[in-house]
Amino acid sequence: MIGVLVSGRGSNLQALLDQGLPVVAVASNRNDAYALVRARAAGVPTATFSLDCHADRAERDLVMSTWLEEHGVDLVVLAGYMHLLTKPFLDRFPGRVVNVHPSLLPAFPGLNAIQAALDAGVETTGITVHLVDEGLDTGPVLAQEALPLEPRETLEERIHAVEHRLLPTVVRAMIHACAP
Ligand code: GRF
C-alpha cells in the first residue's frame, strides 16, 4: 500500500492515481498544497504535518510515519515533497521510500533542477527515480531517462510527461517485488 508525500501541485500524485496504483494515504507539510485537493477528489485520506506544530523535524517525521503506518502504508513515494526526511522516518520504511527528481542525478540536485540544467546549457538532462536517504537527492538510483535539453521551450513539459510515466512504472515494480 502506497503513501504519497506532497508539497505542491501534485501532478505526479495524479499520475499514480490515474494508473490505479493503491494510494491509501497522502500527507503534506503544507495545508494549501493543491495535491491534497486531488487526493480528496480521489477519496484518499489526507493529513497535514506542519513543522509549526512540532518541536522539530524528527518529531514531525515520527508522527507522520505513524499516521502512514496506521493507514497500512508500506511504500512511501515523494511526489514533489519539499522537505528532507529524518532518520526516524526512514528507519520506519527501510529501502521503501522513493523520490522523483527532474534531472539526471547526481547532476543538479535540489530545488529548481530544470532551470539549473537550462542555465548550465547541458545538451542532455532527464529524470531520476531513486531511493531516499537523509541527503539531498543522494539515494541509490532506481531508474533514469535522458532527454535532450532542446527545444528548451518544451523542456519542462517533456520532463513532466516522462515523470508521469517513469514514476508509476518503478512504483508498480516495487509493489510486485514484495508481493507474496
Ligand atoms: C516534479 O518535477 C518532481 O520531479 C519534483 O517536484 C515536482 C513535483 O511536481 N520533485 P508535482 O507536484 O508532482 O506536479
Side-chain angles (χ1 to χ4, degrees):
M1 298 289 183
I2 301 166
V4 184
L5 303 187
V6 295
S7 301
R9 66 188 181 127
S11 68
N12 282 285
L13 166 66
Q14 193 67 57
L16 296 168
L17 293 168
D18 290 348
Q19 298 219 12
L21 287 160
V23 177
V24 295
V26 174
S28 181
N29 59 308
R30 308 173 54 118
N31 63 11
D32 61 350
Y34 183 68
L36 295 172
V37 176
R38 296 181 190 264
R40 289 184 203 117
V44 178
T46 63
T48 300
F49 298 91
S50 166
L51 267 183
D52 299 340
C53 306
H54 296 278
D56 53 29
R57 286 198 309 133
E59 188 210 89
R60 187 273 308 273
D61 286 1
L62 203 55
V63 173
M64 184 162 70
S65 64
T66 299
W67 183 80
L68 292 168
E69 276 188 348
E70 284 169 358
H71 285 78
V73 169
D74 56 15
L75 176 62
V76 179
V77 179
L78 276 53
Y81 184 66
M82 303 311 263
H83 283 183
L84 291 176
L85 290 169
T86 53
K87 196 169 174 340
F89 187 100
L90 295 168
D91 285 350
R92 280 268 179 102
F93 304 99
R96 304 291 292 166
V97 185
V98 178
N99 182 43
V100 58
H101 183 79
S103 76
L104 291 179
L105 292 171
F108 311 118
L111 290 176
N112 305 321
I114 300 175
Q115 190 58 47
L118 286 166
D119 292 347
V122 291
E123 268 185 31
T124 303
T125 184
I127 295 86
T128 302
V129 179
H130 65 98
L131 289 177
V132 173
D133 60 16
E134 288 178 75
L136 181 61
D137 302 320
T138 48
V141 171
L142 297 172
Q144 286 186 311
E145 190 163 320
L147 280 175
L149 193 89
E150 300 292 349
R152 57 178 48 221
E153 297 72 25
T154 61
L155 178 61
E156 190 164 339
E157 185 186 327
R158 286 182 288 122
I159 281 187
H160 291 312
V162 173
E163 286 182 338
H164 299 162
R165 171 169 50 74
L166 195 61
L167 179 64
T169 301
V170 172
V171 168
R172 186 176 299 108
M174 289 185 77
I175 289 173
H176 290 153
C178 71

